[in-house]
Amino acid sequence: MILGIFGSTIKFKEVIMRIRTAPLFFLLLCITSLFAQQPSKPTASEIYHELQKLNFLGSALYIAAHPDDENTRLISYLSNDVKARTAYLSLTRGDGGQNLVGPEIRELLGVIRTQELLAARRTDGGQQLFTRANDFGYSKHPDETLDIWNKNEVLSDVVRAIRKFKPDIIVNRFDHRSPGSTHGHHTSSAMLSFDAFDLVGDATKYPETAKEFGIWQPKRLFFNTSWWFYGSQENFDKADKTNLVEVETGSYYPSLGLSNGEIASLSRSMHKSQGFGSTGSRGRQTEYLEFLKGDFPSEKGNLFDGINTTWTRLEGGAPIGVLLAEVEKEFDFTNPSASVPKLLQAFDLIRKLPEGHWKTVKLEAIKNIIAACTGLYLEAVASEQTVAPKGEVKVTIEAINRSKVSMTLNSVNSTVIAFPNSLMATPLPYNKSYSLESVEQTFSGTEYSAPYWLSKKGTLGMYRVDDKSLIGVPERTNQFPVTFYMTIDGRQISYERNIVYKYNDPVAGEVYRPFEVLPEVTSAISEKVLIFASNDAKEIPVIVRAGRDNISGTVILQHPSGWVVTPAQHSFSISQKGQQQTVIFTVQPPKEQHDGYIKPLVQVGDAYYDTELVTIDYDHIPFQSVLLPSEAKVVHIDIQKKGQHIGYINGAGDAIPESLKQIGYTVTTILPSEITSENLKQFDAIVVGIRAYNTVPELDFKQTELNTYVNNGGTLLLQYNTSRGMNDTELGPLPLKLSRDRVTDENSEVEILAPNHTVLNSPNKITQNDFKNWVQERGLYFPGEWDPAFTPILGMHDKGYPQTKGSLLVAKYGKGHYIYTGLSFFRELPAGVPGAYRLFANLLSLGN
């Protein structure tokens, strides 16, 4: 169920998509470029680097649980120094975390972090893989994790990834032997990898993928350890390192002017939604890998020791290696096309190899290198960014040969759009552009372009992916392919390009966006949770958006039993694609407390549509269109409140201000510069957003004003922060010390420690019923120590763990009240949890 705050056709900001110049060879010869739509335009040094990788036949797979778990330093080293084909298998897409760049959480955050991982891999040279596991939030033990994930299914995905990628070595980020000592997802990722190492070579285990990809046996399995896993640097220095392999990863790449550590930091910095900006490092850097399984390397510094990584690995491959060694030795940086004749000879030899994994991989690689050496530019550009299934769009292809190599464009073909049958074999002379337009009204694409793993409802722990070919891939690529059939110096070679869209921005210039097929109509309710704090009816706007010109139909609002919606339906008519029309329904709640979902259903002819289009537009990832169920939660709450004017100091980003407005509060955002004793007097209570003290440095200089506000009778409510990079003693007017205590089970028992405290009795009587139906967790990063002036209100714990009492602390300070809470109100209020609203209203009512 979608419980986050999604806007109707949300466009969070119109951002100029800055086209940064990539500092690395990693972009080389992929169809994708920095933002995954632009044609690649590699430099000579980038081409040379890919030649070096062409001559290395070895693969490495790094495995962990989330976006940001990966060691970008080691991935970059393996890809750029060793020249190995390297991938990161992240079991989840990071859906359960927080978002430092915007309000998206859950599914939408997973979309953002997927793209951040792809940006990281484009930076450090790796590839990105996933399983179907859903990041459901923090887990304290792998038993819980694997139960929620469905261990067998996720293990099958790990086996699939290994059999498909065929790594010679596997590196785990986490220790499989430490259940309960760290995030359950972390330990689970290592445990699954440890088990999969022995399963992938057995055809009777997960036979479907064994049949599809063949069995495979990696050479060795490592655990990427460090002093952190030993508790301290001192412990690590004393430890027996007989079983450890040391790898020096501090390489410097003169042709790039960058060290491996600098590349790694650029990659790490792509995780912007997590605030992981990283400063580059230079000089020697040692990584430690503990040997777990397989053959221990005789040469301890060589992870591929004993593995044949040359072309002699393949039957008939020796002549190819000799030929490509000559190409590498003779490479002319001023004229890469001089390498084409020998590259074509090697291409011919590779095509004659027996069918197999490395043939497929290297054939595609050498094709792209040949294109790069000739400066071959191929592109298919749509006239519109979006189109409805079988809609009207024109596609223009461009082909240009920027070398003296003989080249002919024989034909152009596509499964989704037609090109003129009259196209004849067309020579491509040096630096002369050729273009061709598609036949109008022939677009036949019908499959929507939104993230594939969100197309069907899954479970709490697993995404549903019916198309087995998509399991493990980050996103659908080349969904709308155009194939260019070429003759290059007498060889028949084809290249595939996905249809893209581009336009000219007055400031940014040429801007690329993905070409997308979207429904002909979508609908949305702007507010995703509608709180009825009284028996009064509300007018609910439903926004209908046209995905094509001249569309009309009707809209009904499906609703729970007991709720009354009028009128029964609305008609709409929209003349232009992209325009919107709003229709208003009146919704009357039942007399008793109740919650459910209202869902717009749009009928156009005989077809029905029930999805919402959400767009995500940030400058560090590609523009994203996401299709989600169109719905809003309606909640009739028995709630009272005192006070009216609330000041809100934003932190890392949450939707609590909007939630408070739902129950009738007047909420004003307070900028750091506006935190003055005089300005704060107008507010009945002040709320500080999540992680504000971690993300808003100005608060360090404004604490005196906030303390004065409380001392003079105000109510100050601080939501959770983390101890990293913060002086705990300055967190509010009374000292407390943050810990890493958290309660991850949203259904865990809650003990009321202070039953007579005002905060549990006025204006709403808080009972055990108010802690039912919470989502994802109870709370996180509770204080472990606090000033005696605080009263702990609630006790709670996960199964098998001691009770924590720091989730909600309330203290009198002067004439006012100071509250610190790690309860996950930032999740519960947007999810429409009635008890969370009632408790939050009591907190804000203190002193009123």
Side-chain angles (χ1 to χ4, degrees), residues 438-490:
S438 65
V439 178
E440 293 186 10
Q441 300 180 347
T442 60
F443 183 77
S444 60
T446 59
E447 191 172 11
Y448 296 148
S449 307
Y452 72 86
W453 63 94
L454 298 178
S455 63
K456 298 287 182 65
K457 181 176 175 60
T459 65
L460 172 64
M462 294 288 291
Y463 281 120
R464 176 180 168 182
V465 181
D466 293 339
D467 184 348
K468 297 292 181 65
S469 68
L470 292 174
I471 294 176
V473 303
E475 59 182 349
R476 279 182 290 202
T477 55
N478 282 14
Q479 190 176 2
F480 309 110
V482 173
T483 305
F484 297 75
Y485 294 94
M486 316 286 300
T487 299
I488 301 178
D489 201 14

Side-chain angles (χ1 to χ4, degrees), residues 518-802:
L518 299 173
E520 62 177 3
V521 64
T522 53
S523 63
I525 300 172
S526 298
E527 298 292 341
K528 294 306 163 189
V529 174
L530 299 161
I531 305 298
F532 291 74
S534 69
N535 293 323
D536 296 337
K538 286 188 176 185
E539 290 189 339
I540 308 299
V542 174
I543 303 168
V544 181
R545 181 188 183 278
R548 64 169 173 83
D549 293 342
N550 301 316
I551 190 167
S552 60
T554 58
V555 187
I556 65 172
L557 192 60
Q558 299 171 304
H559 56 277
S561 176
W563 295 71
V564 179
V565 173
T566 54
Q569 70 176 35
H570 277 289
S571 298
F572 72 93
S573 180
I574 305 175
S575 60
Q576 292 186 342
K577 182 175 75 172
Q579 288 186 338
Q580 299 176 346
Q581 183 176 329
T582 301
V583 297
I584 307 293
F585 290 93
T586 299
V587 177
Q588 176 75 50
K591 292 182 179 180
E592 67 278 4
Q593 182 167 302
H594 189 265
D595 63 83
Y597 287 86
I598 54 175
K599 303 177 181 182
L601 184 64
V602 183
Q603 182 176 5
V604 177
D606 295 331
Y608 292 87
Y609 300 88
D610 59 359
T611 56
E612 172 184 0
L613 172 63
V614 180
T615 60
I616 301 175
D617 193 1
Y618 292 107
D619 61 353
H620 68 292
I621 60 174
F623 182 91
Q624 297 289 298
S625 293
V626 184
L627 295 174
L628 297 173
S630 182
E631 61 185 15
K633 188 175 184 180
V634 286
V635 185
H636 185 207
I637 301 178
D638 177 16
I639 188 171
Q640 304 295 322
K641 62 184 180 66
K642 296 179 181 179
Q644 181 64 34
H645 297 283
I646 307 300
Y648 203 88
I649 301 171
N650 286 326
D654 57 61
I656 287 183
E658 292 80 3
S659 300
L660 297 181
K661 292 175 184 178
Q662 287 265 3
I663 57 174
Y665 282 109
T666 301
V667 183
T668 302
T669 299
I670 305 174
L671 300 175
S673 60
E674 298 169 343
I675 301 175
T676 64
S677 298
E678 187 63 29
N679 188 41
L680 300 184
K681 290 179 180 179
Q682 62 182 301
F683 299 110
D684 298 311
I686 293 172
V687 181
V688 182
I690 61 172
R691 296 184 65 180
Y693 285 80
N694 299 124
T695 60
V696 185
E698 294 89 343
L699 287 182
D700 289 342
F701 309 104
K702 295 295 183 178
Q703 194 61 55
T704 300
E705 284 83 354
L706 291 171
N707 294 348
T708 299
Y709 165 78
V710 180
N711 190 58
N712 291 337
T715 297
L716 177 65
L717 193 164
L718 270 62
Q719 297 179 86
Y720 95 93
N721 290 268
T722 66
S723 58
R724 186 178 68 175
M726 183 180 63
N727 185 348
D728 296 335
T729 59
E730 297 180 4
L731 226 175
L734 293 171
L736 52 77
K737 185 176 180 61
L738 298 181
S739 73
R740 298 189 65 82
D741 288 346
R742 61 200 303 161
V743 175
T744 62
D745 181 359
E746 63 270 29
N747 299 310
S748 62
E749 181 182 352
V750 175
E751 181 183 356
I752 294 177
L753 301 176
N756 297 322
H757 198 285
T758 304
V759 81
L760 295 176
N761 292 279
S762 178
N764 304 288
K765 176 65 176 178
I766 303 301
T767 69
Q768 289 294 338
N769 284 334
D770 292 298
F771 297 99
K772 293 180 179 179
N773 301 317
W774 283 45
V775 298
Q776 186 160 329
E777 61 194 357
R778 290 292 188 196
L780 65 171
Y781 300 119
F782 301 155
E785 301 175 20
W786 49 82
D787 189 275
F790 281 109
T791 299
I793 305 298
L794 304 171
M796 57 187 67
H797 64 92
D798 283 315
K799 183 179 180 180
Y801 289 83

